[in-house]
Amino acid sequence: MPDVVLQARGLTKAFAAPAGPLPVLTDVSLEIFAGDSVSIRGSSGSGKTTLLQLLGGLDQPDSGEVLILAPDTSLVAPHSSLGRGVGFVFQNYQLMPELTALENVALAARIAGVPSEAATAEARSLLTQVGLGARLEHLPSKLSGGECQRVAIARALVNRPSVILADEPTGNLDERTGAEIMDLLLGVVAERGAALILVTHSREFAERATRRFVLSGGVLTPA
Ligand SMILES: Nc1ncnc2c1ncn2[C@@H]1O[C@H](COP(=O)(O)OP(=O)(O)OP(=O)(O)O)[C@@H](O)[C@H]1O
Ligand SMILES: [Mg+2]
């Protein structure tokens, strides 16, 4: 039985609205194992981004709990994992515009406490692995969308997280580039033994995950 790398139990979340609390997630539970790939589909506004933010510790549930596998191999709350339990990949890349590709990736390692030289070496190696060895000094504004997403994937992997959370990572890309990014994401995640939680509107990409879910009416169900 593979190790559990993420455990979410009974997640409930509502947002305040003038007419009263707006329920978004109702009792969502999910268990992710090492090497798992899981896709989540759902219509716009169904709460997919909200769920990923709870899983990654960027937001807190109203009730329920999330535990992720930290570098010392124990299950802890996301905010206690020193930023190394999960890696995020976003639809709009979220790169720092004034930093080069190399600096963007190295910064994520520096924030997690890796010394400068080692951070740069690891960033260079990962960027080469994602096909950007000749673009290390490019600013994001000088990279194509697909290249920006490759940088973001390298950044998400740099601290060797046990889980990658990808929120519509191909949403801004043309069909062919999107397919290339999916190949890359599935490939590097598998190679590093990380698990992947992929939010996507694409049925085709969702089917490439080993387990598939749909989020609807605040409830997560197997597809
Ligand atoms: N910070 C917030 N404050 C209030 N309401 C919010 C907040 N964040 C999200 N919501 C609401 O929660 C619901 C779910 O939003 P969420 O962004 O999780 O949807 P989504 O499934 O990711 O949609 P999309 O496919 O368009 O990205 C929406 O109705 C949204 O308006
Ligand atoms: Mg979203």
Side-chain angles (χ1 to χ4, degrees), residues 13-17 22-25 40-53 59 91 167-168 199-201 215:
K13 180 78 178 174
F15 289 110
L22 177 79
V24 176
L25 300 173
I40 300 175
R41 290 173 58 232
S43 53
S44 187
S46 59
K48 304 180 298 299
T49 294
T50 304
L51 176 57
L52 285 195
Q53 289 185 334
D59 198 0
Q91 175 175 353
D167 194 357
E168 297 188 48
V199 161
T200 179
H201 284 288
L215 185 60

Side-chain angles (χ1 to χ4, degrees), residues 47-213:
K48 304 180 298 299
T49 294
T50 304
L51 176 57
L52 285 195
Q53 289 185 334
L54 297 184
L55 296 180
L58 297 183
D59 198 0
Q60 296 303 310
D62 298 331
S63 60
E65 113 180 303
V66 178
L67 294 172
I68 58 174
L69 190 67
D72 62 0
T73 69
S74 63
L75 285 168
V76 298
H79 66 266
S80 313
S81 73
L82 305 172
R84 295 199 278 162
V86 298
F88 273 96
V89 179
F90 303 93
Q91 175 175 353
N92 56 357
Y93 327 126
Q94 305 266 33
L95 300 177
M96 304 281 271
E98 70 280 23
L99 299 185
T100 64
L102 188 64
E103 289 165 345
N104 262 284
V105 179
L107 178 65
R110 295 283 291 133
I111 289 170
V114 178
S116 175
E117 241 172 73
T120 301
E122 180 66 6
R124 183 176 291 118
S125 150
L126 266 166
L127 284 166
T128 303
Q129 192 186 348
V130 300
L132 292 181
R135 304 276 190 287
L136 300 178
E137 304 301 333
H138 277 51
L139 292 172
S141 59
K142 300 280 173 12
L143 294 169
S144 72
E147 289 168 347
C148 284
Q149 200 56 302
R150 287 171 189 267
V151 177
I153 289 170
R155 179 184 57 186
L157 289 164
V158 75
N159 293 318
R160 303 186 174 276
S162 46
V163 187
I164 298 288
L165 304 174
D167 194 357
E168 297 188 48
T170 63
N172 278 345
L173 303 174
D174 65 72
E175 213 171 306
R176 203 183 101 206
T177 309
E180 285 170 7
I181 289 296
M182 275 305 301
D183 290 344
L184 175 70
L185 193 55
L186 289 165
V188 289
V189 162
E191 188 179 311
R192 297 199 149 219
L196 172 69
I197 303 182
L198 168 72
V199 161
T200 179
H201 284 288
S202 159
R203 193 179 290 268
E204 183 191 335
F205 295 157
E207 283 178 0
R208 295 184 65 179
T210 51
R211 290 196 293 145
R212 298 171 275 275
F213 292 88

